[in-house]
Amino acid sequence: MIIGVPKETYPGERRVAFVPSSVPPLIKSGIIVRIEAKAGLAAGFTGDAYADAGAEVIDDREQVIRSADVLLQVRGLGANPHAGVADLQWMHDGQVIIAPCDPLGNVEAVRQLAERGVTLFAMELIPRITRAQSMDVLSSMATIAGYKAVLLAADRLPKMFPLMMTAAGTLTPAKVFVIGAGVAGLQAIATARRLGAVVTATDVRPAAKEQVASLGAKFLAVEDEEFKAAETAGGYAKEMSKEYQAKQAALTAEHVKKQDIVITTALIPGRPAPKLVSAEMVKSMKPGSVLVDLAVERGGNVEGARAGEVAEVDGIKIVGYTNVAGRVAQSASSLYARNLFSFIETLVDKTTKALAVNWDDDLVKATALTKDGAVIHPNFQPKSS
Ligand code: NAI
């Protein structure tokens, strides 16, 4: 079996789908790993590092794609709609592609890949079940984004994070408020604490309260009857009532104006990101303050956040970068490669080491978008006219 890893072509994408340290276990199983030259360079992995690990490093992109039984990407066609089209001609029948591919946002790309006869697995659809934790690419990237969000804010803040007692006097610590204490938010809290900030955090899930406290941050929320019942059976946030949202907004407004940094990560599955920081709240902050909106790709939690940009209002910066995990390309690629490795293991026969997709496996059912020329995932069928 040949696993192919092409260089990513989405503008500004520095991550790579597979890293040298994940190559040897595959080689030991008799699997060939074929990687396009320079594919890992932007993430800090040289061709020599891949070759030393046992991979074949070749210049010819067409060959990497055509010859692969399994193709690994950071951005499949749906998540790389312009540059990604050039590769379609080399994708073929019987080939497996594993990648995040934004199927909800780009059903047409799913259909195009189905037409090429490939079997497409969407990594962002890995279910959040215990067995699949090691494959959970969303958590991997959220962890890195949460960490980096704090550094992006720290770099722009005209003040230090820690309390400093010097001969010349005392500097007060920075105040950081994290809205949404899921995977990204908890990592942001931990990172801001390590740098010495005074951290508060909020969430609408009662389970978050203890997790926030365990990281040494103070939990702040409207803890009424609705809050106590707010978590879904799957552990996710529910959309809150208008009354709750009003109480939450009043609490947020009072708190935000005293903060140096606000980091927002709040999402509700299948819904646009809730707007939690209004333009007035932004303006109530001191000049020099920084907001980082990690939910910007889903519409944003902060009014005025612009995807891919740093907006400025009265000397207050709103960082709206997308693909924040990609800014820590080496670590993001390493975690992603481990997610892929775990997933590939479930698709390979343990004895023969050949591809043997078990179509009854819940993981396969949740992630397989196309098979035998058709879109097979029930949620992503093209609408019939
Ligand atoms: P997410 O990325 O969907 O959302 C981020 C956070 O925003 C969540 O904690 C959510 O409760 C919060 N939020 C939503 N609306 C809000 C509002 N109006 N105000 C304040 N906060 C708001 O969340 P993520 O990181 O995916 O985690 C959500 C849940 O999934 C957690 O319970 C987590 O433990 C669980 N999880 C389970 C995994 C597994 O079983 N393999 C893996 C990762 C997370």
Side-chain angles (χ1 to χ4, degrees):
M1 181 166 91
I2 300 174
I3 290 185
V5 185
K7 185 171 168 6
E8 293 298 314
T9 54
Y10 185 80
E13 182 56 76
R14 304 174 70 81
R15 292 170 295 176
V16 59
F18 220 58
V19 302
S21 59
S22 294
V23 171
L26 293 177
I27 304 288
K28 263 190 224 128
S29 304
I31 294 169
I32 296 169
V33 179
R34 190 168 280 166
I35 181 152
E36 186 180 351
K38 301 201 173 86
L41 217 51
F45 302 111
T46 62
D48 284 350
Y50 284 102
D52 291 347
E56 287 179 12
V57 183
I58 61 173
D59 275 323
D60 187 349
R61 181 178 184 84
E62 176 179 343
Q63 200 196 337
V64 172
I65 295 174
R66 261 193 210 285
S67 67
D69 299 302
V70 176
L71 199 67
L72 306 180
Q73 294 178 289
V74 174
R75 288 176 182 269
L77 181 61
N80 183 16
H82 301 295
V85 175
D87 298 329
L88 260 180
Q89 54 179 327
W90 302 318
M91 295 170 172
H92 56 79
D93 250 17
Q95 187 173 47
V96 167
I97 300 182
I98 310 175
C101 51
D102 190 17
L104 274 172
N106 201 338
V107 181
E108 176 58 15
V110 179
R111 194 191 55 75
Q112 284 175 298
L113 285 162
E115 264 176 13
R116 298 297 305 171
V118 307
T119 302
L120 174 65
F121 291 101
M123 278 305 276
E124 61 266 77
L125 299 182
I126 291 278
R128 284 180 147 178
I129 52 177
T130 307
R131 187 185 144 220
Q133 272 181 0
S134 60
M135 310 164 202
D136 185 353
V137 61
L138 294 183
S139 287
S140 295
M141 296 306 121
T143 300
I144 293 178
Y147 158 85
K148 186 66 176 177
V150 173
L151 300 190
L152 288 170
D155 195 32
R156 283 160 182 81
L157 190 73
K159 124 177 213 180
M160 294 174 65
F161 265 44
L163 169 78
M164 278 282 159
M165 294 168 98
T166 79
T170 300
L171 293 174
T172 55
K175 290 193 181 123
V176 176
F177 181 38
V178 177
I179 301 182
V183 178
L186 290 173
Q187 194 52 239
I189 294 167
T191 306
R193 287 278 301 145
R194 278 184 215 120
L195 286 174
V198 172
V199 185
T200 46
T202 188
D203 201 293
V204 288
R205 291 179 301 108
K209 184 174 180 175
E210 204 181 303
Q211 292 162 350
V212 166
S214 74
L215 292 170
K218 193 161 175 261
F219 189 71
L220 180 91
V222 178
E223 298 186 46
D224 62 5
E225 288 308 311
E226 186 178 347
F227 171 83
K228 286 178 192 145
E231 198 157 306
T232 65
Y236 287 103
K238 280 185 186 161
E239 190 158 29
M240 307 303 273
S241 69
K242 289 267 174 294
E243 293 73 41
Y244 186 93
Q245 288 177 28
K247 285 190 262 178
Q248 189 187 27
L251 186 71
T252 307
E254 202 40 50
H255 192 60
V256 159
K257 64 183 178 202
K258 300 177 221 146
Q259 304 303 307
D260 297 300
I261 288 175
V262 175
I263 293 173
T264 68
T265 75
L267 290 172
I268 300 155
R271 310 275 312 141
K275 277 276 176 290
L276 300 172
V277 182
S278 66
E280 292 77 59
M281 292 184 208
V282 172
K283 281 192 177 167
S284 75
M285 296 177 79
K286 296 180 286 289
S289 305
V290 184
L291 298 100
V292 180
D293 190 346
L294 285 183
V296 72
E297 264 168 287
R298 296 261 298 273
N301 298 137
V302 180
E303 207 178 327
R306 291 201 297 267
E309 291 177 33
V310 180
E312 195 158 340
V313 186
D314 296 345
I316 300 147
K317 293 191 174 68
I318 310 171
V319 179
Y321 290 149
T322 55
N323 191 11
V324 171
R327 290 173 176 263
V328 196
Q330 189 168 111
S331 303
S333 303
S334 296
L335 287 187
Y336 180 52
R338 282 179 226 171
N339 295 146
L340 283 177
F341 184 87
S342 297
F343 184 58
I344 293 166
E345 274 189 316
T346 71
L347 303 179
V348 171
D349 184 289
K350 288 201 172 36
T351 320
T352 64
K353 304 296 177 195
L355 257 186
V357 179
N358 172 6
W359 294 97
D360 292 324
D361 185 337
D362 286 342
L363 280 184
V364 169
K365 283 190 201 157
T367 53
L369 292 174
T370 67
K371 181 191 174 198
D372 298 335
V375 178
I376 57 163
H377 197 293
N379 295 357
F380 302 100
Q381 297 288 358
K383 287 196 183 67
S384 51
S385 50

